[in-house]
Amino acid sequence: MMEIGSLKVLYTCILLILVLNYSSSVIGGTIKVSVSHKYWRLLADSKPRPNENIKLIFVIKNNDTQVSNLEQKFKQVSDPVHADYGNFLTYDEIHQQLLSETTKNGKIVETWLKKHNMSHITSTAHKEFLIVQSSVRLIEQLLQTTFLTYQHRTKQQLTFRAKQFNLPSTVYDKIDYIDQSSELLTVSGSKIPASSESPSKHPLAVDSPSNAPNLLFLDRSGKRIEFFIQLICSNGENASDTVCPEFRGYEITLIVLSATTQQTVSLAEANCQVCYEAGASIFDACFNYNLNDDSVLCRFYISNINIQKYQQITVYVQSKFVMDGETTYSLPASQPFEQVPHVTPSLLASLYKVNMSIIKQKRLAKSRQAVVGFGQYYNLKSYKAFSQSYGKNFNIRIGKVYGEDYTNKSYDEGETTLDMEYMAAMGAGIVTDYISSKNDEVSFTPFFTKLALLESDKRNIVPLVYSISYGLDSKEAGLKIVRMNDIQFMKLGVSGKTVFVSAGDDGVSSSKGCTKRFIAVYPASSPYITSVGATQLILGDKSNCRYIPQERSKCLEEIVAYTNDLTECSITSGGGFSIYHTRPTWQKAMVQNYLSTAKKRLPPLTYFKKNNRAYPDITLLGHDYSTKEKGGKDNAFEDGTSASSPATAGLFSLINDQRLKLGLKPLGFVNPLLYQLAKTNPEAFYDIVKGKNNCNTQSVCCPYGFEAQKGYDPVTGIGSINHELLMKLLTEK
């Protein structure tokens, strides 16, 4: 995610994850894993230094029968009508009672590692993860492989990749996977949201041969509008290395209802700069909008504009040229928009009926929550600035940071900042930890390893609620990786943890365009987590009104967050059906009702597996979140399910805290309970009935997608939450 000065950045939330993609086959008693090098180029003289230390994580294989028992226990402790409901187990008890074979396998692999001079081994309490630190030379000997040095095409960063590795037959069936935390063996692949890390051209950007200015971005607030425009010369060519000699400024026309006003922006006021030598704000904008280094970007404001919220305005921009003493104007670029309120914790509290008296209560020490992040800079100053600006009534409490490399200031901070600010604010007073993995080529193994290490030390207060704003294409991840991670998510549920995951920001497609089969984002499509979609606010009709103090007398309505120019929402909420997981019992009736009532509005059945797990489960506002970044120096406004997920997680943390105060068990895996409440107490949810998820973050709208409708739908789930009522229902003894 990129931030551009005070520019309103409509981030496509949840960072993109590089996909783990490999195939394996047993050959002559060894396991051989082939690794692709997509997006990397082999460097000359590519052998890494033999004495350079690297770190590997050996993931120990679980016994299939025991995993089935774990899944059965997961279902029982999560089912509100089962006698075993809420009888959670500790990690120790899970491994003693359900996964004892994992510990045995781990001991075998650990013995083998030590036999091969791998003396520096850190293991989790149950030998499920073995962390080995050693030299390249010793690891090469151990795995019978050769490491090569590669360079990522978008980073000046060296990394190691092994073309293949071999394990002896005595241990190959004891190891499920080998991961790393030093740019080694995690395979790079194509990027998929939950959220978009790579900077991309804003939906307002146009590729046109005409001489109309390239209107990249409008930020409107109060009585001014900020413009970012790529300069196009009179002949229709992009300005290169210098401002076009004939360019004299811009003519701006605003049409509000029937009134028309015009303003002239002079050449000096247009503030046009060549990207490679521009100041910080314009330089960052050039990068964010994928402009060439020699492009020219103009940034300026027009003021004294009375912009009423939810009032449609159309902006026309023309370039002014003077050639041979004659003045001419370019073709116009136009953009309609409506001013919508920026989202703050206070607005969310009003919209979802959060009781402010509960917000101000003291919390129990064991009421802890965590954001899971990958390859991001952790900027504590940003959170403090956010707390001062937006969180004064929300008692933001930042806790511990686990992991490595989160102090690297060359990393982006956007995702972590967004997640931490809103999980901490909406879970007011609850300590919010950050669990970081070093690289942004993510498997979830480093997170699960860190969690297992936390659980093994009884002095730790392990978080009960988690938010994950990351995901990948299920198909590219592969069934092996999905199943391996699902086991860990089941362990979280069995131990009483609640996990919320962003549903994705490209609808049913990918950020690259339409696909012949819909993309199923993982882990959002897993049946072992709670998947969260995103909405946006518009002026509603009288049949479906919501009123909040921040927008008095205005009838507001939540609709699906989808890419559109009018509200400048830059993402489309993900949703659909898993490609691997059959439909869980707790959602069968509601999903079947959706399939039966949607009928002709359903996409062709070749695009999705109608009998599988549907997602998301719930939804929350995900457009125009106010954040503080760069230590509070910059204001940013972000979109995405990676905004709605941490905010939702924080709100459920409040419910967890109240339950613990009353002597009740934590919520644990909450989906069966939510779907039951949607049936017995539908007023606990706001049904979202408008919108579709057929578009992506690049403003490409595909022929098919899923539509919101009354009741459950695979765009908004069972709806957004009435927190006040949920609090009452979920804290009753």
Side-chain angles (χ1 to χ4, degrees):
M1 292 180 171
M2 304 305 299
E3 179 275 330
I4 308 173
S6 61
L7 173 64
K8 177 179 178 183
V9 183
L10 299 178
Y11 293 119
T12 54
C13 346
I14 296 197
L15 282 172
L16 298 170
I17 292 180
L18 294 176
V19 175
L20 303 169
N21 182 18
Y22 63 83
S23 59
S24 64
S25 59
V26 177
I27 303 175
T30 64
I31 187 166
K32 180 177 179 180
V33 182
S34 299
V35 180
S36 67
H37 299 126
K38 190 175 183 181
Y39 295 131
W40 296 79
R41 67 182 181 88
L42 179 62
L43 298 180
D45 302 320
S46 60
K47 274 291 292 178
R49 294 188 300 273
N51 293 325
E52 185 163 355
N53 281 332
I54 56 177
K55 183 163 71 174
L56 303 181
I57 301 174
F58 288 77
V59 183
I60 304 306
K61 185 173 291 185
N62 289 279
N63 176 279
D64 289 342
T65 300
Q66 292 194 338
V67 170
S68 296
N69 294 335
L70 174 68
E71 186 162 19
Q72 184 65 24
K73 183 67 174 179
F74 174 86
K75 293 177 180 178
Q76 292 170 352
V77 299
S78 307
D79 184 354
V81 300
H82 196 278
D84 207 22
Y85 177 61
N87 291 329
F88 303 121
L89 303 178
T90 65
Y91 267 42
D92 284 345
E93 291 169 334
I94 289 172
H95 281 272
Q96 291 164 6
Q97 299 176 26
L98 301 171
L99 298 176
S100 59
E101 287 297 318
T102 307
T103 303
K104 293 179 182 178
N105 288 341
K107 289 179 179 178
I108 292 172
V109 176
E110 185 177 48
T111 300
W112 173 74
L113 288 169
K114 289 180 177 178
K115 181 180 177 181
H116 289 79
N117 299 318
M118 297 295 117
S119 56
H120 188 79
I121 302 173
T122 304
S123 66
T124 57
H126 308 288
K127 311 295 182 183
E128 187 176 18
F129 303 102
L130 301 176
I131 306 169
V132 176
Q133 296 188 56
S134 191
S135 68
V136 169
R137 177 179 57 83
L138 288 177
I139 293 292
E140 285 183 333
Q141 292 174 358
L142 178 70
L143 299 180
Q144 302 174 46
T145 189
T146 299
F147 291 131
L148 302 176
T149 305
Y150 285 78
Q151 184 177 40
H152 195 281
R153 66 178 184 181
T154 62
K155 293 182 179 180
Q156 297 301 312
Q157 175 182 330
L158 301 184
T159 189
F160 303 127
R161 288 296 182 271
K163 279 192 172 182
Q164 63 190 42
F165 60 88
N166 296 272
L167 300 175
S169 56
T170 54
V171 296
Y172 82 85
D173 62 346
K174 304 294 189 295
I175 297 176
D176 209 11
Y177 185 67
I178 301 178
D179 207 330
Q180 54 74 46
S181 60
S182 54
E183 283 70 49
L184 171 71
L185 291 178
T186 300
V187 182
S188 170
S190 59
K191 295 184 176 182
I192 290 290
S195 68
S196 174
E197 175 197 25
S198 295
S200 58
K201 205 173 275 188
H202 189 272
L204 298 186
V206 293
D207 294 315
S208 173
S210 75
N211 63 0
N214 189 2
L215 182 56
L216 294 172
F217 192 83
L218 296 177
D219 181 25
R220 63 275 187 192
S221 178
K223 294 185 177 182
R224 76 174 193 177
I225 303 175
E226 183 180 20
F227 292 77
F228 279 75
I229 304 175
Q230 183 184 8
L231 180 60
I232 308 297
C233 298
S234 59
N235 60 3
E237 296 181 359
N238 297 339
S240 178
D241 279 319
T242 185
V243 175
C244 317
E246 72 274 18
F247 176 69
R248 294 295 183 272
Y250 293 107
E251 290 291 326
I252 311 295
T253 302
L254 302 176
I255 300 178
V256 184
L257 300 177
S258 58
T260 299
T261 59
Q262 290 185 316
Q263 289 196 28
T264 298
V265 177
S266 69
L267 174 60
E269 292 169 334
N271 186 27
C272 301
Q273 300 178 36
V274 180
C275 288
Y276 64 77
E277 59 185 14
S281 295
I282 290 182
F283 180 85
D284 287 348
C286 291
F287 179 74
N288 193 55
Y289 301 131
N290 287 343
L291 299 185
N292 294 330
D293 288 345
D294 60 356
S295 297
V296 178
L297 187 62
C298 307
R299 178 199 183 198
F300 59 89
Y301 303 89
I302 61 172
S303 302
N304 300 318
I305 307 298
N306 188 15
I307 304 174
Q308 300 295 323
K309 291 178 181 176
Y310 298 103
Q311 183 180 73
Q312 186 167 328
I313 299 173
T314 302
V315 177
Y316 291 89
V317 182
Q318 289 179 281
S319 300
K320 180 180 179 181
F321 302 117
V322 176
M323 293 180 290
D324 299 327
E326 183 179 351
T327 300
T328 61
Y329 293 91
S330 72
L331 295 173
S334 65
Q335 174 59 41
F337 67 80
E338 288 183 4
Q339 176 68 36
V340 296
H342 296 318
V343 174
T344 63
S346 295
L347 186 146
L348 290 173
S350 297
L351 188 66
Y352 297 112
K353 294 189 175 180
V354 181
N355 189 324
M356 291 305 293
S357 66
I358 291 178
I359 286 286
K360 296 176 181 179
Q361 290 180 5
K362 290 185 177 180
R363 307 296 170 206
L364 295 178
K366 56 185 175 181
S367 294
R368 210 171 181 104
Q369 59 185 8
V371 163
V372 181
F374 301 89
Q376 287 269 307
Y377 171 53
Y378 177 90
N379 194 335
L380 185 59
K381 291 182 179 179
S382 294
Y383 311 138
K384 291 180 178 178
F386 178 84
S387 181
Q388 287 295 314
S389 296
Y390 304 114
K392 291 181 179 179
N393 296 322
F394 291 86
N395 187 19
I396 292 176
R397 298 182 64 194
I398 304 300
K400 296 182 179 180
V401 182
Y402 301 102
E404 52 191 19
D405 219 29
Y406 53 84
T407 59
N408 189 332
K409 293 185 179 181
S410 69
Y411 289 173
D412 184 52
E413 70 169 271
E415 185 60 59
T416 293
T417 295
L418 169 66
D419 290 4
M420 290 291 291
E421 288 175 352
Y422 276 89
M423 191 176 194
M426 304 321 298
I430 296 173
V431 175
T432 306
D433 296 328
Y434 180 58
I435 302 178
S436 169
S437 291
K438 180 177 179 180
N439 56 359
D440 58 4
E441 300 157 47
V442 182
S443 80
F444 289 92
T445 300
F447 161 58
F448 293 129
T449 304
K450 176 56 65 177
L451 194 58
L453 288 169
L454 290 178
E455 290 279 357
S456 67
D457 187 342
K458 306 309 176 189
R459 295 170 296 180
N460 292 323
I461 302 176
V462 181
L464 287 171
V465 179
Y466 299 80
S467 178
I468 300 175
S469 292
Y470 299 76
L472 59 157
D473 180 351
S474 299
K475 187 175 180 181
E476 293 193 39
L479 181 58
K480 179 184 176 73
I481 297 296
V482 166
R483 187 58 177 167
M484 184 179 73
N485 288 336
D486 279 346
I487 293 170
Q488 300 303 320
F489 285 124
M490 280 190 272
K491 286 175 59 180
L492 282 163
V494 172
S495 62
K497 314 296 196 305
T498 310
V499 182
F500 295 91
V501 177
S502 301
D505 298 330
D506 283 297
V508 294
S509 59
S510 79
S511 58
K512 296 178 181 178
C514 306
T515 54
K516 292 183 179 180
R517 292 186 68 90
F518 293 153
I519 297 292
V521 176
Y522 181 83
S525 57
S526 170
Y528 308 108
I529 56 84
T530 302
S531 181
V532 185
T535 61
Q536 59 181 321
L537 282 176
I538 64 167
L539 279 180
D541 55 52
K542 293 185 178 180
S543 64
N544 199 12
C545 279
R546 304 258 293 283
Y547 295 96
I548 57 175
Q550 290 86 346
E551 299 296 324
R552 295 187 183 279
S553 303
K554 286 188 172 65
C555 169
L556 301 181
E557 180 180 5
E558 279 184 280
I559 65 169
V560 175
Y562 68 95
T563 308
N564 69 93
D565 290 342
L566 196 61
T567 63
E568 282 192 346
C569 185
S570 65
I571 63 102
T572 297
S573 186
F577 291 77
S578 170
I579 63 172
Y580 295 128
H581 305 97
T582 57
R583 187 177 307 147
T585 304
W586 36 265
Q587 70 168 191
K588 277 187 176 179
M590 287 193 174
V591 176
Q592 186 56 51
N593 179 70
Y594 162 76
L595 294 170
S596 300
T597 54
K599 294 181 179 179
K600 292 183 179 180
R601 291 185 291 118
L602 280 174
L605 296 181
T606 56
Y607 280 80
F608 66 101
K609 294 186 176 182
K610 69 173 185 177
N611 294 321
N612 281 6
R613 191 275 207 256
Y615 75 101
D617 301 299
I618 54 178
T619 193
L620 206 83
L621 200 62
H623 173 44
D624 217 10
Y625 274 55
S626 305
T627 69
K628 289 286 187 179
E629 296 186 7
K630 294 189 177 179
K633 296 177 182 178
D634 291 342
N635 299 307
F637 304 93
E638 306 187 22
D639 285 7
T641 56
S642 61
S644 52
S645 177
T648 300
L651 291 172
F652 274 87
S653 277
L654 293 180
I655 297 174
N656 240 3
D657 181 70
Q658 291 297 108
R659 287 175 63 88
L660 295 175
K661 287 177 179 176
L662 294 170
L664 299 172
K665 297 289 183 65
L667 288 168
F669 177 61
V670 77
N671 286 13
L673 181 58
L674 292 181
Y675 281 79
Q676 176 183 295
L677 288 175
K679 181 179 179 181
T680 60
N681 299 84
E683 66 277 11
F685 303 92
Y686 297 110
D687 196 8
I688 315 299
V689 297
K690 294 179 183 177
K692 191 173 180 178
N693 69 348
N694 62 315
C695 298
N696 69 4
T697 50
Q698 305 302 308
S699 293
V700 175
C701 293
C702 304
Y704 303 108
F706 297 105
E707 292 185 47
Q709 64 173 45
K710 187 175 181 181
Y712 180 88
D713 55 71
V715 191
T716 62
I718 55 180
S720 60
I721 62 174
N722 180 331
H723 189 264
E724 184 176 50
L725 184 52
L726 273 181
M727 175 69 79
K728 178 181 178 182
L729 293 170
L730 297 179
T731 56
E732 291 177 339
K733 287 192 174 182

